[in-house]
Amino acid sequence: MHPEDLVRDHTIYSCVMGSRAFGLATEGSDTDRRGVFLAPTPLFWRFDKPPTHVDGPGEERFSWELERFCELALRANPNVLECLHSPLVEHVDATGRELLSLRRAFLSRRVHASFTRYALGQRGKLEADVRTHGAPRWKHAMHLLRLLTSALDLLRTGELTIDVGDRRAELLAVKRGEVPWPEIEARMARLAAQTDAWTHRTPLPAEPDRRRVEDFLVRARRASAVEADADHEVVQGVVRGGSVGQH
């Protein structure tokens, strides 16, 4: 099966991300699409496994296979968690709805380390731009401030909110280069300090609910196996817990 066919035929959830989901879109903004596909279970019984992610089909589209998506979400990967909370859902089936019902199972205090680590990496790139070109890439500076604010709100409330709401104007001013870099640095430092302070006071649990997520994944794999060939003796044997050749 071609990787792009997995996205076309087996997507369980897809959404719009980027500036449109964040409430920061302007006239020239792209439409970034992200999704999750469930590779048919029999594909995993071969030596060549299905891909963990697929670029495309088309531009500005990226999808993860369900298991990889869950792994990253349990690690509190910022991009994946934000995908789960997009307000702009384009497609969702029954399995996708169950995935969305598990949003809280993925959230934990791990978000502090993962969001902070990602933010530090992005800040390093901005500082390199300042040293080399005299100014950062303003769009990237805007999104870093947005990310840090989102992380702080998540630790405070236990809820991940994607749309920036009434912060739109001040963030777009950063994107236009209207806010001096030293002021942006000061904002980043304040947000980082506040995030650190909330790490041990957050209502989030220490760890995500890995068992609940794994139970969901097993059910999805089992249902896919049955759907793939409901009358196949070997398939049914594996699904029921038997072994190949067992009678």
Side-chain angles (χ1 to χ4, degrees):
M1 182 174 289
H2 192 278
E4 292 191 351
D5 292 337
L6 290 169
V7 176
R8 290 193 182 97
D9 300 337
H10 299 282
T11 290
I12 63 170
Y13 169 68
S14 63
C15 65
V16 173
M17 284 302 301
S19 293
R20 297 192 184 280
F22 301 141
L24 292 169
T26 56
E27 187 175 341
S29 295
D30 294 329
T31 301
D32 300 320
R33 290 181 167 87
R34 299 292 180 267
V36 183
F37 63 91
L38 175 61
T41 300
L43 294 183
F44 290 91
W45 301 339
R46 304 171 178 175
F47 286 122
D48 295 324
K49 308 299 182 186
T52 59
H53 59 270
V54 175
D55 259 315
E59 297 182 358
E60 309 300 337
R61 181 183 293 274
F62 185 93
S63 299
W64 296 268
E65 206 283 323
L66 177 60
E67 183 172 343
R68 178 60 173 166
F69 185 86
C70 290
E71 288 176 344
L72 292 173
L74 287 169
R75 297 177 196 169
N77 178 284
N79 291 324
V80 169
L81 289 181
E82 288 182 337
C83 178
L84 263 180
H85 291 77
S86 173
L88 304 178
V89 176
E90 291 194 319
H91 169 78
V92 61
D93 66 6
T95 306
R97 284 191 289 274
E98 187 169 0
L99 173 65
L100 293 181
S101 75
L102 293 172
R103 283 171 174 157
R104 295 193 66 83
F106 291 107
L107 296 178
S108 72
R109 294 180 188 177
R110 292 184 182 187
V111 300
H112 176 259
S114 64
F115 277 64
T116 299
R117 185 167 55 248
Y118 184 84
L120 286 173
Q122 295 303 306
R123 182 168 179 173
K125 293 178 182 179
L126 293 173
E127 291 171 342
D129 286 338
V130 173
R131 290 192 299 270
T132 304
H133 306 292
R137 279 176 272 193
W138 298 108
K139 179 179 178 180
H140 292 185
M142 174 191 71
H143 280 298
L144 181 50
L145 286 171
R146 180 202 63 77
L147 179 72
L148 288 169
T149 303
S150 179
L152 176 58
D153 288 345
L154 173 55
L155 288 167
R156 280 174 172 168
T157 67
E159 301 287 342
L160 181 56
T161 302
I162 298 302
D163 194 297
V164 299
D166 59 8
R167 299 185 181 106
R168 172 182 165 87
E170 66 183 61
L171 287 170
L172 288 178
V174 172
K175 181 182 179 181
R176 293 191 297 267
E178 297 171 359
V179 182
W181 173 242
E183 183 176 336
I184 293 174
E185 285 187 301
R187 289 187 194 179
M188 291 177 180
R190 285 196 299 271
L191 286 167
Q194 290 174 309
T195 300
D196 289 343
W198 272 94
T199 304
H200 302 294
R201 291 189 286 159
T202 178
L204 292 174
E207 297 293 332
D209 194 341
R210 179 185 174 92
R211 184 169 186 175
R212 186 178 169 201
V213 174
E214 189 170 51
D215 286 346
F216 158 66
L217 179 62
V218 169
R219 288 197 308 276
R221 290 275 189 251
R222 183 180 293 119
S224 173
V226 172
E227 182 181 355
D229 195 343
D231 298 319
H232 194 289
E233 180 182 359
V234 175
V235 170
Q236 289 303 311
V238 173
V239 170
R240 296 191 186 104
S243 59
V244 176
Q246 181 178 358
H247 298 288

